[in-house]
Amino acid sequence: MSYRRISVLLSAALLLTAAAAQAAKTAAPGTVDISYTKFTLSNGLTVIVHEDHKAPVAAVNVWYHVGSKNEPFGRSGFAHLYEHLMFTGTQHAPDGFNQLLAGIGATDNNGTTNEDRTEYFENVPSNALDTALWMESERMGFLLPVLDQKKLDVQRGVVQNEKRQDENAPYGKVELHLAEATYPAAHPYHHTVIGSMEDLDAASLADVQEWFKTYYGPNNAVLSIAGDVDTAEVKKKVEQYFGAIPPTPPVAHVKEWTAKRSGIQREVLQDRVPAARVYMVWNVPESSSDSADYLELLTRVLSDGKASRLYKRLVYDDRVASGVQAFLDDREVGSQFVIVATALPGKPLDKVESGIREELARLLKSGPTAEEVARARTGEYADFVRGVERIGGFGGVSDVLAKGEVFEGDPGAYKESLARIRGATAADLKREANAWLSDGAYILDVVPFGDFAPAAQDIKRDQAPAPGSFPEVRFPAQETATLSNGLKLVLVQRSAVPLVQLSLLLDAGYASDATSAPGTARLAMAALSAGTPSRNALQISSQLGDLGADLSAGSGLDTSSVSLSALKDKLDPSLALFADVVLHPTFPAADVAKLRDQQLAAIQQERRTPVSMALRVFPKLLYGEGNAYSLPLTGSGYEASVGKLTPADLKRFHDTWFKPNNATLVAVGDVTMVELKPRLERLFAGWKPGSVPAKNLATVPLAPAAAVYLVDRPGSEQSIIFAGNVAPPYGTPDNVAIQTMNTVLGGDFTARVNMNLREDKHWAYGAYTFVVSARGQRPFIAYAPVQTDKTGASMAELQKELSGIVSDKPVTAEELARAKSLRTLTLPGDWETGGAVASAIGTQIAYGLPAGYWDSYSGKVAALTLDDMKRAADETVHPKQLIWVVVGDRAKIEAEVKALNLGPIHYLDADGNPLLTP
């Protein structure tokens, strides 16, 4: 049973009050052994504790064994709706937990619902464990007294806007079609998790109260705690906070219902999509089965890496698809094996499907090779290791242990899956493929429609426990060195897991396109691993799979990067491959042509997807022509520019920007400077320094007055609203103040903009403000995806909030205190993983921040005053000079936008070009 699919029934033993402690053992090669202690309270709550003292943080994870599969006919969407309601407040915290979490430095805080479970989780500084446990016990035991009609109506509106937002996106209606077509009406997976509008409208207060009484008791839950904790103390605390909560009636759980299909079923869905896409789905066994593990490995054989069968055939050889993916949608009762492929524009979908069929038939007949199976096994193990570096969040230790207990009655169930994966053979995979993929396919063709362009102890519950003294948080110690060729090296040693992560940061990015052609940086970095003199793209992909390594390359606004994640025992060959890709890319013509086609397809997708439509047009309106930041924020460029790019252009990009004196290599993980530096000296000895061109980051003026730009998207179910202006660079002395002010305005869930448009008006699923990170002047953007009939009203509310922060509604002392907490108390969790540490160092490098920046960060935030907030708002937000971009159905929204009189209205196409005949 895969660690991502650990499943089936809670054991009856959950009702027993017995403790079972398991000590960590010496792990055999290719295994992971997570120590834990498990005990059960008299009310049925099962508790799992794992101690990990690498950082002063604790993960709290509560799993309720209830999901959309438990919903009766006419009540679809209840589990997901209740996930939202569980955030709205309890008897002793009537206003919810957002302010509380902000005040204790919580990170990775969220709730999720799927077909089989509902999960709530948060990471907190270890001193705030009491607060987190009190909060989760409040959710479990004290929600109903304050659950009223108003809260139900607000969250119903939020969920319905989430549904509109999801279904408004290209391919957004596919999930509903798959659920209804692949499972019979009586099956618990016949409907989607988010449910139907009709069922959500029909939900009454009595209905949702009864739902809580049925499923949210301690006997239907698992509490998983991991991190810097003491197990004995945790047992006392859990008994204190949860012990007095009474159990609910016993809950019945469906154990297995594969619903295997026979024959072929076809369906065609017309949607406003830029390219045709085919979905092929087979119903296969539940996630706890042996079959699920073998089928998971088969998905890697089919589509993991450029050398995989489907990618090589459809994208690399035939060039009929822009992308293809095989995956196992693993669930408790029955899983689905899914293949999805998107045709390149102009390529027939039947060619894509025939390619899939031929490759699948070849796999069924001959099975995978031993090399393919070995690569798939290594990839599964490496992904698991990367996940359990974290104590919380998806795939983290607390998540893995909770899954095993909820679905398997065994927190260590992941070991069985890893053992089965480690022993899998080509014969095993061939057998399962023939058993489950030779018959019963559901095929959905999604084709373009229309012209889309144009407790036991007595405790007080009046208030949350004070978190106590926060641990001293210091950024991990950095070692620095410089190679003989001028390449700067920054190392943070972390030995919690046997991983080493490297990121080569180059001063290039999308901003460098202003010196070449729009889209060059993105395409060049995508093609970097397409080949070297000694390896072609497929060989590079195969070797990465064999090593269990991840290699990626890409660009942001100011920097381009090449990153490697390698297992410690395979560091040498992984580094050799990394250096070869960095230093010797050949940009083969055939590979460049494929990747260019994919980028062109991505541009077409962006020109039809609401948010990316706004991201494409907004920069030119802010910065004007010629500035390095005036190109689309997606970095994809324009069809005209990308269509002309050649291998020579990409080589010129590499020759221009890949200089050791223009780069910094950041390393985080299980390696010392003594081990790493000599290896890098040897590998990069031939890399020579040189000059690089300057990018035009000249200061641009604010717009003389506000203006509104409409981009028509007929048939949109939502309008996407952007409003913004240029703001000071990241490196400004007032950056910390600007970030903190933005936290109050729109940078957090509890910020003004979101509380207005989502929580008060429920016109949007979420609304925020951003100050986009940039070395030069940054874009300040207010963003709100809103229901179409509230477009004008939402713009008016945004204008009110943006005006208020600089005039009649300045930041209050209470808001500043909360924002300070959000900016600082989360740091223990923010720097938990190697990737997070590397990202923070990357920020320091990209924006020229001084050494020790993160060590002094908390102090700078703590020293902020209300005068600092006023100055930051005045520097950042200019409500009378805003550039507004609205993407939506012009026929429905134009009149109300005009009536606002925010400024002159202009009409643009999807690339930001003025329309001559509006």
Side-chain angles (χ1 to χ4, degrees), residues 68 71-85 149 151-164 166-167 191-205 207-208:
S68 61
E71 297 161 353
F73 180 79
R75 294 294 183 265
S76 66
F78 262 43
H80 177 250
L81 175 60
Y82 226 97
E83 174 211 315
H84 283 251
L85 290 169
Q149 189 66 44
K151 289 182 177 179
L152 172 59
D153 290 341
V154 168
Q155 293 308 314
R156 184 193 349 249
V158 169
V159 170
Q160 288 179 327
N161 272 301
E162 181 181 359
K163 180 177 173 69
R164 291 186 186 101
D166 290 344
E167 295 183 356
H191 62 273
T192 62
V193 174
I194 203 164
S196 72
M197 287 291 192
E198 295 76 16
D199 287 357
L200 290 169
D201 282 333
S204 69
L205 185 60
D207 290 333
V208 297

Side-chain angles (χ1 to χ4, degrees), residues 251 283 704 886-887:
V251 177
N283 289 356
V886 184
V887 180

Side-chain angles (χ1 to χ4, degrees), residues 308-530:
S308 61
R309 297 193 176 200
L310 291 180
Y311 186 96
K312 183 177 183 298
R313 172 66 184 273
L314 300 177
V315 180
Y316 202 82
D317 292 340
D318 293 354
R319 293 180 59 185
V320 294
S322 61
V324 60
Q325 182 185 16
F327 62 92
L328 189 72
D329 185 358
D330 49 327
R331 304 177 191 173
E332 181 180 7
V333 173
S335 303
Q336 291 191 320
F337 192 100
V338 184
I339 298 174
V340 184
T342 305
L344 280 170
K347 300 295 184 180
L349 200 58
D350 60 352
K351 292 289 187 183
V352 177
E353 183 184 328
S354 65
I356 295 173
R357 285 180 170 279
E358 289 173 14
E359 291 302 320
L360 191 57
R362 186 162 66 91
L363 183 64
L364 293 173
K365 180 179 179 180
S366 304
T369 66
E371 292 77 12
E372 287 175 318
V373 176
R375 188 176 304 134
R377 291 196 305 251
T378 302
E380 283 287 295
Y381 171 66
D383 282 354
F384 179 76
V385 170
R386 292 184 179 101
V388 296
E389 181 192 8
R390 297 172 290 112
I391 57 169
F394 295 118
V397 170
S398 60
D399 195 48
V400 168
L401 296 177
K403 280 184 179 180
E405 182 60 35
V406 168
F407 295 148
E408 206 58 45
D410 177 11
Y414 69 90
K415 296 179 186 176
E416 183 181 348
S417 173
L418 289 179
R420 184 158 44 243
I421 288 168
R422 190 168 61 253
T425 66
D428 292 328
L429 271 61
K430 179 184 178 184
R431 181 188 67 246
E432 298 300 327
N434 278 279
W436 298 103
L437 308 182
S438 59
D439 187 26
Y442 166 74
I443 303 172
L444 174 65
D445 292 344
V446 183
V447 297
F449 169 72
D451 183 6
F452 194 73
Q457 298 178 22
D458 185 22
I459 63 170
K460 287 187 176 182
R461 284 205 169 266
D462 320 20
Q463 58 186 3
S469 300
F470 280 88
E472 181 181 0
V473 181
R474 293 189 63 82
F475 193 72
Q478 303 175 49
E479 296 180 71
T480 60
T482 303
L483 301 189
S484 56
N485 62 3
L487 176 64
K488 294 178 287 294
L489 174 61
V490 180
L491 170 65
V492 170
Q493 194 175 346
R494 283 272 181 104
S495 57
V497 293
L499 280 178
V500 179
Q501 301 178 70
L502 295 98
S503 186
L504 181 70
L505 305 174
L506 301 127
D507 184 358
Y510 303 149
S512 68
D513 283 351
T515 65
S516 51
T520 300
R522 176 163 164 173
L523 183 58
M525 298 307 291
L528 197 72
S529 60

Side-chain angles (χ1 to χ4, degrees), residues 832-852:
E832 179 199 359
T833 67
V837 171
S839 178
I841 296 172
T843 297
Q844 183 177 315
I845 293 165
Y847 306 117
L849 305 178

Side-chain angles (χ1 to χ4, degrees), residues 474-726:
R474 293 189 63 82
F475 193 72
Q478 303 175 49
E479 296 180 71
T480 60
T482 303
L483 301 189
S484 56
N485 62 3
L487 176 64
K488 294 178 287 294
L489 174 61
V490 180
L491 170 65
V492 170
Q493 194 175 346
R494 283 272 181 104
S495 57
V497 293
L499 280 178
V500 179
Q501 301 178 70
L502 295 98
S503 186
L504 181 70
L505 305 174
L506 301 127
D507 184 358
Y510 303 149
S512 68
D513 283 351
T515 65
S516 51
T520 300
R522 176 163 164 173
L523 183 58
M525 298 307 291
L528 197 72
S529 60
T532 70
S534 59
R535 301 171 170 94
N536 62 32
L538 301 184
Q539 290 170 328
I540 291 171
S541 183
S542 297
Q543 290 180 27
L544 287 169
D546 294 339
L547 295 169
D550 282 346
L551 190 151
S552 60
S555 287
L557 186 58
D558 291 298
T559 59
S560 298
S561 62
V562 190
S563 298
L564 172 73
S565 175
L567 296 171
K568 173 66 181 286
D569 63 353
K570 293 182 170 61
L571 181 59
D572 280 331
S574 300
L575 278 176
L577 184 55
F578 174 74
D580 193 28
V581 168
V582 168
L583 299 178
H584 309 123
T586 53
F587 302 109
D591 296 83
V592 170
K594 298 181 189 76
L595 293 166
R596 184 176 57 232
D597 287 346
Q598 292 176 33
Q599 189 158 320
L600 289 169
I603 292 172
Q604 293 187 23
Q605 172 90 344
E606 291 172 6
R607 297 177 76 250
R608 290 158 174 79
T609 303
V611 174
S612 57
M613 290 171 75
L615 290 172
R616 290 183 65 80
V617 307
F618 204 66
K620 188 186 296 184
L621 301 174
L622 289 184
Y623 293 97
E625 298 285 353
N627 190 281
Y629 293 161
S630 65
L631 301 173
L633 269 175
T634 59
S636 57
Y638 304 105
E639 288 176 276
S641 61
V642 173
K644 297 176 182 177
L645 290 175
T646 66
D649 296 319
L650 307 189
K651 184 178 186 304
R652 189 176 303 111
F653 172 89
H654 182 268
D655 292 345
T656 300
W657 299 100
F658 274 65
K659 308 286 187 185
N661 53 302
N662 192 47
T664 301
L665 184 62
V666 178
V668 180
D670 191 12
V671 67
T672 66
M673 184 68 81
V674 171
E675 293 172 318
L676 184 61
K677 186 180 177 183
R679 288 172 164 88
L680 297 175
E681 282 282 9
R682 176 174 52 82
L683 290 169
F684 290 98
W687 195 18
K688 304 302 181 186
S691 60
V692 294
K695 293 178 283 191
N696 176 18
L697 301 181
T699 300
V700 299
L702 293 165
V708 181
Y709 296 83
L710 287 184
V711 183
D712 190 19
R713 188 178 185 266
S716 281
E717 298 178 33
Q718 282 190 318
S719 296
I720 304 298
I721 302 170
F722 271 42
N725 48 251
V726 290

Side-chain angles (χ1 to χ4, degrees), residues 51-56 227-230:
E51 294 191 25
D52 180 348
H53 302 285
K54 71 173 180 288
D228 187 25
V229 299
D230 178 81

